[in-house]
Amino acid sequence: MTLPMIQIALDQTDLTSAIEVARRVESFVDVIEVGTILAFAEGMNAVQTLRHNHPEHILVCDMKTTDGGAILARMAFEAGADWITVSAAAHIATIGACKKVADEFNGEIQIEIYGNWTMDDAKSWVDLGITQAIYHRSRDAELAGVGWTPADLDKMRQLSDLGLELSITGGIVPEDLYLFEGIKAKTFIAGRALAGEKGRETAEALKGQIERFWG
Amino acid sequence: MTLPMIQIALDQTDLTSAIEVARRVESFVDVIEVGTILAFAEGMNAVQTLRHNHPEHILVCDMKTTDGGAILARMAFEAGADWITVSAAAHIATIGACKKVADEFNGEIQIEIYGNWTMDDAKSWVDLGITQAIYHRSRDAELAGVGWTPADLDKMRQLSDLGLELSITGGIVPEDLYLFEGIKAKTFIAGRALAGEKGRETAEALKGQIERFWG
């Protein structure tokens, strides 16, 4: 199994700032994400520009696609994305439409887990050939300073057991990575923690923990 | 009760085409929607431009907001949107964050109904002061031949009874409007049916049916 990767989420509201952050972190991240905020702020020009600036990185467009799957997926892949996100709340036909376009571009779909999803939903994603999902820590828990709950970890293990590689996000810190041992982790996603002054240090600490628990 | 309005969804992948369509339909639609596709294609420039071109119309930004509510809502309202859409799959804290920003701008939130939502979810939206929701057949479900079902109509009546005004979309044709009689309909949304050669005729037929069943 390949080791989990480090992903930066670019959620700036203007492309100029996002370009700067991406340049600053490119040497220590594997995956660059055009966040939903940046994509809505600047449109597909954000994806095109970051693709041009970072030809060797995996580039994700975080559209949280909920409908109009084929058109949105084509737009993002044509602009240069390698992966796009699709909402778990999308109709299965929408997810299928995205997958079909992704296959055409050798791209991948990541199911972004929000709302009242079920393990049966997850099985239907796997049946479509989807191999990735994104798991967020409960925003309430995060705001209340509560850590990853046993319920979170249990669901993540179940998704992992279904064969889904998980990208994990929501206040990711190096000290917490041991919690996810045994889970098929694709990436650990952070924004400000990687963009800030201590970004390189944080990335190195994350990589140390990844080596320890997945190496 | 005010009569249901006619809404055009601009789902072009470039702003130039969207501007043309909006100009062509402005005399017979009440609400102009920057669709998710257009918003992701061109960013908030699409909202700003359509606001500038159509100062008297209600302008919707269809973000299907799922996370990062406060920032996305502020971006859209600052660009000139009157209403923004928020996904039913969003955490209640995200919906609340959007509502708070909307209040600041005298804007409104429309809950866009996707995923495994429940009537308890709907009650929690109403408790936040939300007054609008969007009910539709998914574009992709529609393509898969899924029609308006008695279950759809029952759910719409329940939402309406909770006090939510509904915008209804997904292959809307004048002949179907009788199905929605008695439901608090805010708008009927169409894209190509209004943008095409027979757009004005379709709008007039819709208005005739609206007068008949809600007048």
Side-chain angles (χ1 to χ4, degrees):
Chain A
M1 183 183 161
T2 52
L3 290 180
M5 297 182 283
I6 311 279
Q7 176 170 335
I8 179 130
L10 298 173
D11 268 320
Q12 289 70 34
T13 56
D14 69 287
L15 185 51
T16 307
S17 310
I19 289 170
E20 279 174 27
V21 171
R23 285 242 161 80
R24 197 154 73 235
V25 304
E26 64 172 352
S27 66
F28 55 83
V29 305
D30 310 291
V31 181
I32 295 174
E33 171 197 325
V34 175
T36 313
I37 288 167
L38 178 60
F40 269 133
E42 299 275 4
M44 286 304 101
N45 181 38
V47 178
Q48 281 156 3
T49 303
L50 288 157
R51 173 75 300 161
H52 176 264
N53 291 359
H54 306 281
E56 303 302 327
H57 282 72
I58 294 173
L59 187 64
V60 188
C61 183
D62 183 21
M63 304 183 120
K64 300 181 173 68
T65 310
T66 310
D67 205 348
I71 296 173
L72 283 172
R74 185 168 300 279
M75 251 168 52
F77 288 123
E78 279 180 352
D82 297 299
W83 304 345
I84 68 161
T85 69
V86 179
S87 172
H91 191 281
I92 192 70
T94 300
I95 300 176
C98 291
K99 178 69 170 83
K100 207 173 150 191
V101 175
D103 289 346
E104 208 180 298
F105 286 84
N106 289 315
E108 290 188 33
I109 298 299
Q110 300 180 295
I111 301 294
E112 196 145 9
I113 292 180
Y114 279 102
N116 307 325
W117 64 284
T118 66
M119 279 297 158
D120 281 340
D121 292 332
K123 281 174 197 152
S124 71
W125 310 331
V126 171
D127 288 344
L128 280 178
I130 307 281
T131 57
Q132 291 198 57
I134 299 175
Y135 197 99
H136 301 245
R137 176 148 57 127
S138 144
R139 173 174 284 259
D140 263 359
E142 196 188 334
L143 289 176
V146 175
W148 295 92
T149 64
D152 281 324
L153 294 165
D154 182 53
K155 283 185 216 161
M156 291 165 77
R157 276 177 213 290
Q158 286 188 56
L159 291 167
S160 177
D161 289 347
L162 281 179
L164 290 165
E165 293 181 295
L166 299 184
S167 287
I168 303 171
T169 182
I172 288 289
V173 291
E175 308 85 82
D176 281 350
L177 257 54
Y178 77 94
L179 291 169
F180 312 116
E181 191 179 0
I183 290 170
K184 290 190 184 102
K186 185 74 168 184
T187 77
F188 291 103
I189 310 174
R192 275 161 295 187
L194 291 169
E197 256 182 41
K198 296 192 171 174
R200 182 181 298 275
E201 207 175 296
T202 301
E204 275 164 16
L206 287 169
K207 280 176 190 165
Q209 296 294 83
I210 287 170
E211 192 61 55
R212 183 166 163 202
F213 294 107
W214 286 266
Chain B
M1 183 183 160
T2 53
L3 290 180
M5 296 182 283
I6 311 280
Q7 176 170 335
I8 180 130
L10 298 174
D11 267 321
Q12 289 69 35
T13 55
D14 68 286
L15 185 51
T16 308
S17 311
I19 288 169
E20 277 174 26
V21 171
R23 286 243 159 82
R24 198 154 71 235
V25 306
E26 63 172 352
S27 65
F28 55 84
V29 305
D30 309 292
V31 181
I32 296 173
E33 171 196 325
V34 176
T36 313
I37 289 166
L38 178 60
F40 269 133
E42 299 275 5
M44 285 305 101
N45 182 36
V47 178
Q48 279 155 6
T49 303
L50 288 157
R51 172 78 298 162
H52 176 265
N53 291 359
H54 306 281
E56 302 302 328
H57 282 73
I58 293 172
L59 188 63
V60 188
C61 184
D62 184 22
M63 304 183 119
K64 298 181 174 71
T65 310
T66 309
D67 207 347
I71 295 174
L72 283 173
R74 185 169 300 281
M75 252 169 51
F77 287 123
E78 280 181 351
D82 298 298
W83 303 344
I84 69 160
T85 69
V86 178
S87 173
H91 192 281
I92 193 70
T94 300
I95 299 177
C98 290
K99 178 69 170 81
K100 207 173 150 191
V101 176
D103 288 345
E104 207 182 298
F105 286 85
N106 289 314
E108 291 188 32
I109 297 300
Q110 301 180 295
I111 301 294
E112 197 144 10
I113 293 179
Y114 280 102
N116 306 327
W117 63 286
T118 66
M119 279 295 157
D120 280 340
D121 292 333
K123 282 173 197 152
S124 71
W125 310 331
V126 171
D127 287 344
L128 279 177
I130 306 280
T131 58
Q132 292 198 57
I134 300 176
Y135 197 100
H136 44 115
R137 291 190 283 169
S138 140
R139 170 191 287 255
D140 299 305
E142 193 190 330
L143 291 175
V146 181
W148 295 105
T149 64
D152 279 324
L153 294 166
D154 182 53
K155 283 185 217 160
M156 290 165 78
R157 277 176 212 290
Q158 287 187 57
L159 291 166
S160 177
D161 289 347
L162 281 179
L164 291 165
E165 293 182 296
L166 299 185
S167 288
I168 303 171
T169 183
I172 286 290
V173 290
E175 309 84 83
D176 280 351
L177 257 54
Y178 78 93
L179 290 169
F180 312 116
E181 192 181 359
I183 290 169
K184 288 190 186 103
K186 184 76 167 183
T187 77
F188 291 103
I189 310 174
R192 275 161 293 187
L194 292 169
E197 258 183 40
K198 296 192 171 174
R200 183 180 296 275
E201 206 175 298
T202 301
E204 275 164 16
L206 287 169
K207 280 175 190 166
Q209 296 295 82
I210 286 170
E211 193 60 55
R212 183 168 163 198
F213 294 107
W214 285 267

